[in-house]
Amino acid sequence: MSSKLFHNCRIYTPVDKGEPAAGMAQSNITHYNQGALLVENGMISKIGAESDVLKSLQNRTIDQFIDCKSRCMIPGFVDPHTHMCFAAERESEFQMRLDGMAYLDILKRGGGILSSVDGVKKATVEELYENCLKHALKALSLGTTTLEIKSGYGLDTENELKMLRAIGKVSRTTPQDVVATFLGAHAVPAAYKDDPDTFIDLVITEMLPAVSRQGVATQCDIFCEKGVFTIDQGRRLLRAAKELGMAVKIHADEVHDLGGAALAAELGAISADHLLAANDENIIKMARAGVVANLLPATAYSLKKPYARARKMIDNRLPVALATDCNPGSSYTESMPFVIGLAILNMEMSPAEALTAATLNSAYSTGVADRCGSLDPGKQADLLLLDGESPAILAYHAGVSPVARVYKHGEKVC
Ligand code: NIG
Ligand code: FE
């Protein structure tokens, strides 16, 4: 058995009470100003004040001592929503948006998501893998030790499976834990422009069973939006995914309030994501149903839209998580520190709430809270050392990364 003692650190962590942290509990952070954490075989076995941890270790041999030099220690970030498996950037489209064209209008003209679909169709598994790995490793250097990656730029069985195979290969290569999500209903392909229902039939009868049979994704997602998929189409697809044992989630109420949040509540989704336009009543429905709100402030930033109403959600006991949405269109960043900074400065979230959102609650909305998302004994030793005194440094030292060291299973990976 190998043992490692991290000491001389200012520890900040949410505490896992067996469910996502909602309401006041979202700001419940355990803090040890002079803390220590014992790792045995890559798992956390003790955490506490340094003096208490040392006392409890009397007569025990510790293989390695790591002096954290008073840095702040937090759990590794869990990024619960990314589209980082793509073939090419869309910088010219960014310029079009700066010139005033709306994101959904670009999609309507065959650009946006559909231009990434063209790129993925031409790419090999190997090319997708290499590109995706580059983004995953960038995220790792910024403190993301677990992440979700979606398909959704294939839109047919062959290319969706190609993406999921590339994501699977990334998962086997990177030190991070990767959760794959099937997003075959991300946009309506040109050939089905006038008949999206038939496309949803194809997703349900052909793509979804193939994905499930091959075991390449554990979650299923859909983009419900004006001009993309309706709530009824979402209900049809996600019910079928649930029957196959998959966890379900929804790109909900991103631009228009279609009622995606209510559908997430109705289906008992693991999360509803975006929610920039979600209404009060549906926020309450989600809270009652125990759905986590995955908020993506870098998307609001890049689309120049009002931010999701995190304050309203937390005050109504809806657990809030934070994600990058890393994709070549609406939010091109791998940086959880950037997202946390936006949440603290533009969404009225406290540093404590944002920390819980980026670790524990995002672990719940990705189905991995049993092994990560907090520094509780029994979980993986996935942790970060920040150049700063507290998690507030993530917002305070803007535009750079205060993440000084990244440990996965207790091993230094950055
Ligand atoms: O979450 N809204 C839909 N999907 C992504 C954007 C994907 C893209 O533009 O390539 C999102 O914002
Ligand atoms: Fe997304």
Side-chain angles (χ1 to χ4, degrees):
M1 155 129 35
S2 83
S3 56
K4 215 176 244 187
L5 186 73
F6 292 81
H7 65 102
N8 192 17
C9 40
R10 307 168 196 260
I11 302 179
Y12 291 81
T13 180
V15 178
D16 190 349
K17 300 268 174 61
E19 59 184 12
M24 307 269 269
Q26 179 137 10
S27 49
N28 236 337
I29 294 292
T30 293
H31 169 53
Y32 302 102
N33 201 35
Q34 176 79 28
L37 179 127
L38 181 67
V39 176
E40 290 178 297
N41 286 343
M43 309 298 279
I44 299 168
S45 61
K46 279 182 201 296
I47 178 172
E50 185 167 326
S51 54
D52 294 341
V53 174
L54 287 175
K55 218 178 288 161
S56 73
L57 291 178
Q58 271 174 3
N59 307 326
R60 291 250 321 258
T61 319
I62 302 297
D63 299 323
Q64 196 185 350
F65 286 84
I66 297 173
D67 181 353
C68 300
K69 307 202 164 114
S70 277
R71 283 185 169 125
C72 169
M73 177 190 284
I74 60 172
F77 300 129
V78 179
D79 186 346
H81 181 139
T82 86
H83 308 252
M84 62 170 67
C85 182
F86 58 86
E89 293 170 349
R90 303 192 327 240
E91 203 169 327
S92 58
E93 190 184 292
F94 177 65
Q95 185 60 51
M96 285 158 75
R97 287 201 286 109
L98 291 180
D99 293 340
M101 193 178 287
Y103 174 71
L104 287 177
D105 286 339
I106 297 172
L107 177 60
K108 220 184 273 168
R109 293 170 167 220
I113 296 169
L114 292 174
S115 92
S116 287
V117 172
D118 291 340
V120 161
K121 287 202 163 132
K122 287 185 202 124
T124 62
V125 175
E126 200 57 29
E127 284 162 348
L128 290 176
Y129 156 73
E130 274 167 19
N131 209 20
C132 184
L133 182 64
K134 194 177 75 189
H135 296 296
L137 294 178
K138 170 76 80 181
L140 182 67
S141 72
L142 294 160
T144 298
T145 48
T146 296
L147 74 166
E148 183 258 20
I149 309 178
K150 300 174 196 293
S151 66
Y153 296 127
L155 308 189
D156 61 32
T157 307
E158 181 193 337
N159 288 289
E160 284 294 310
L161 288 174
K162 182 167 81 181
M163 286 190 75
L164 290 166
R165 271 198 289 277
I167 295 167
K169 196 164 171 197
V170 169
S171 160
R172 292 188 293 278
T173 317
T174 174
Q176 291 144 310
D177 284 299
V178 175
V179 175
T181 300
F182 168 59
L183 178 57
H186 192 194
V188 184
Y192 294 87
K193 201 161 60 76
D194 301 319
D195 194 8
D197 264 316
T198 302
F199 178 68
I200 289 292
D201 290 342
L202 184 76
V203 178
I204 293 175
T205 57
E206 194 184 299
M207 294 187 215
L208 190 58
V211 167
S212 164
R213 236 185 352 259
Q214 299 192 17
V216 283
T218 52
Q219 309 190 120
C220 181
D221 194 351
I222 180 167
F223 184 20
C224 290
E225 183 54 70
K226 232 186 217 172
V228 192
F229 297 107
T230 63
I231 296 299
D232 282 344
Q233 288 160 347
R235 182 181 289 111
R236 226 150 49 78
L237 170 60
L238 298 180
R239 275 192 182 156
K242 277 181 76 166
E243 271 171 27
L244 291 171
M246 296 171 92
V248 300
K249 42 183 54 209
I250 309 174
H251 278 69
D253 307 330
E254 177 177 356
V255 183
H256 299 97
D257 178 17
L258 292 195
L263 179 63
E266 175 193 319
L267 295 174
I270 194 165
S271 70
D273 302 41
H274 286 289
L275 304 169
L276 304 188
N279 68 50
D280 292 4
E281 196 188 326
N282 291 347
I283 286 175
I284 291 165
K285 280 190 188 158
M286 275 180 62
R288 291 206 177 116
V291 182
V292 177
N294 277 347
L295 304 186
L296 310 105
T299 312
Y301 167 85
S302 177
L303 296 181
K304 300 204 266 183
K305 299 260 182 219
Y307 290 85
R309 295 180 299 152
R311 195 68 267 140
K312 174 94 193 167
M313 294 176 189
I314 294 174
D315 292 345
N316 280 284
R317 297 193 47 78
L318 174 56
V320 166
L322 289 167
T324 61
D325 196 19
C326 181
N327 75 75
S330 63
S331 173
Y332 191 27
T333 180
E334 296 88 352
S335 177
M336 286 296 277
F338 174 57
V339 163
I340 291 167
L342 291 176
I344 293 172
L345 290 165
N346 292 342
M347 292 166 79
E348 297 176 65
M349 287 175 73
S350 68
E353 288 167 340
L355 179 63
T356 300
T359 56
L360 184 66
N361 283 358
S362 50
Y364 271 101
S365 70
T366 314
V368 294
D370 57 327
R371 53 186 194 270
C372 53
S374 63
L375 300 179
D376 283 298
K379 290 201 187 190
Q380 292 172 183
D382 297 353
L383 53 94
L384 313 179
L385 296 180
L386 306 181
D387 268 330
E389 293 174 7
S390 79
I393 193 71
L394 293 160
Y396 171 50
H397 200 176
V400 297
S401 170
V403 177
R405 303 265 188 284
V406 181
Y407 290 87
K408 182 77 186 170
H409 294 285
E411 298 296 327
K412 185 168 166 295
V413 285
C414 282

